[in-house]
Amino acid sequence: MPVMHFRIQWPDGDEANCYSPSLVISDFFTPGEAYPLDDFVARSQQALGIASERVREKYGFACSAALDQLAQIERDAARFRDRPDATVKVIAFS
Protein backbone atom coordinates (compact mmCIF):
# COMPACT_ATOMS: atom_id res chain seq x y z
CA MET A 1 0.00 0.00 0.00
CA PRO A 2 1.35 3.44 -0.81
CA VAL A 3 2.13 5.50 2.26
CA MET A 4 1.64 9.25 2.39
CA HIS A 5 3.01 11.81 4.80
CA PHE A 6 1.48 15.23 5.13
CA ARG A 7 3.01 18.22 6.86
CA ILE A 8 0.69 20.58 8.73
CA GLN A 9 0.95 23.85 10.60
CA TRP A 10 -1.09 24.36 13.75
CA PRO A 11 -2.60 27.76 14.66
CA ASP A 12 0.36 28.58 16.91
CA GLY A 13 2.85 28.07 14.06
CA ASP A 14 4.11 24.66 15.22
CA GLU A 15 4.49 22.18 12.39
CA ALA A 16 3.95 18.44 12.46
CA ASN A 17 4.57 15.54 10.12
CA CYS A 18 1.56 13.25 9.87
CA TYR A 19 1.24 9.72 8.50
CA SER A 20 -1.35 7.92 6.41
CA PRO A 21 -1.09 4.35 5.14
CA SER A 22 -3.03 5.41 2.04
CA LEU A 23 -3.06 8.18 -0.55
CA VAL A 24 -6.69 8.93 0.41
CA ILE A 25 -5.42 11.99 2.30
CA SER A 26 -5.06 13.76 -1.05
CA ASP A 27 -8.84 13.41 -1.55
CA PHE A 28 -9.49 15.40 1.63
CA PHE A 29 -6.74 18.04 1.71
CA THR A 30 -4.93 20.36 -0.68
CA PRO A 31 -1.37 21.50 0.02
CA GLY A 32 -1.25 25.24 0.72
CA GLU A 33 -4.83 25.35 2.01
CA ALA A 34 -5.83 26.30 5.55
CA TYR A 35 -8.85 24.61 7.12
CA PRO A 36 -10.92 25.70 10.10
CA LEU A 37 -9.88 23.59 13.08
CA ASP A 38 -13.10 21.57 13.36
CA ASP A 39 -13.17 20.96 9.61
CA PHE A 40 -9.55 19.81 9.65
CA VAL A 41 -10.25 17.35 12.47
CA ALA A 42 -13.40 16.04 10.77
CA ARG A 43 -11.56 15.56 7.46
CA SER A 44 -8.72 13.81 9.29
CA GLN A 45 -11.20 11.49 11.00
CA GLN A 46 -12.77 10.58 7.67
CA ALA A 47 -9.53 10.22 5.72
CA LEU A 48 -7.60 8.26 8.34
CA GLY A 49 -10.65 6.09 9.01
CA ILE A 50 -10.83 5.21 5.32
CA ALA A 51 -7.08 4.61 5.23
CA SER A 52 -7.29 2.26 8.20
CA GLU A 53 -10.17 0.37 6.60
CA ARG A 54 -8.19 -0.04 3.38
CA VAL A 55 -5.48 -1.71 5.43
CA ARG A 56 -8.12 -3.93 7.06
CA GLU A 57 -9.46 -4.95 3.65
CA LYS A 58 -6.00 -5.85 2.41
CA TYR A 59 -4.41 -7.38 5.53
CA GLY A 60 -7.33 -8.31 7.78
CA PHE A 61 -6.63 -5.79 10.56
CA ALA A 62 -6.99 -2.07 11.07
CA CYS A 63 -3.96 0.19 10.80
CA SER A 64 -2.94 1.13 14.33
CA ALA A 65 -0.52 3.77 12.98
CA ALA A 66 -3.39 5.59 11.22
CA LEU A 67 -5.51 5.42 14.37
CA ASP A 68 -2.59 6.64 16.48
CA GLN A 69 -2.06 9.54 14.08
CA LEU A 70 -5.72 10.46 14.33
CA ALA A 71 -5.56 10.38 18.13
CA GLN A 72 -2.52 12.68 18.02
CA ILE A 73 -4.31 15.12 15.72
CA GLU A 74 -7.33 15.15 18.04
CA ARG A 75 -5.14 15.75 21.12
CA ASP A 76 -3.21 18.55 19.44
CA ALA A 77 -6.39 20.16 18.09
CA ALA A 78 -7.89 20.25 21.59
CA ARG A 79 -5.30 22.90 22.54
CA PHE A 80 -6.96 25.35 20.15
CA ARG A 81 -10.67 24.68 20.80
CA ASP A 82 -11.03 28.03 22.58
CA ARG A 83 -9.90 29.91 19.45
CA PRO A 84 -12.90 30.29 17.12
CA ASP A 85 -10.71 31.51 14.24
CA ALA A 86 -8.15 28.68 14.54
CA THR A 87 -7.05 27.13 11.26
CA VAL A 88 -4.71 24.30 10.33
CA LYS A 89 -2.66 24.66 7.17
CA VAL A 90 -1.69 21.65 5.08
CA ILE A 91 1.81 22.50 3.93
CA ALA A 92 2.77 19.57 1.71
CA PHE A 93 2.41 15.90 0.88
CA SER A 94 5.34 13.53 0.58
Side-chain angles (χ1 to χ4, degrees), residues 11-70:
D12 63 359
D14 283 351
E15 294 184 5
N17 288 313
C18 300
Y19 168 85
S20 171
S22 167
L23 302 179
V24 72
I25 292 295
S26 64
D27 294 340
F28 288 83
F29 298 113
T30 302
E33 291 290 319
Y35 300 86
L37 182 68
D38 289 340
D39 184 38
F40 175 78
V41 172
R43 287 170 183 255
S44 296
Q45 290 166 337
Q46 288 182 292
L48 291 169
I50 291 169
S52 180
E53 284 305 308
R54 287 183 179 177
V55 170
R56 183 189 308 278
E57 289 170 8
K58 185 167 184 172
Y59 298 106
F61 52 85
C63 180
S64 61
L67 300 176
D68 289 347
Q69 180 63 73
L70 177 57

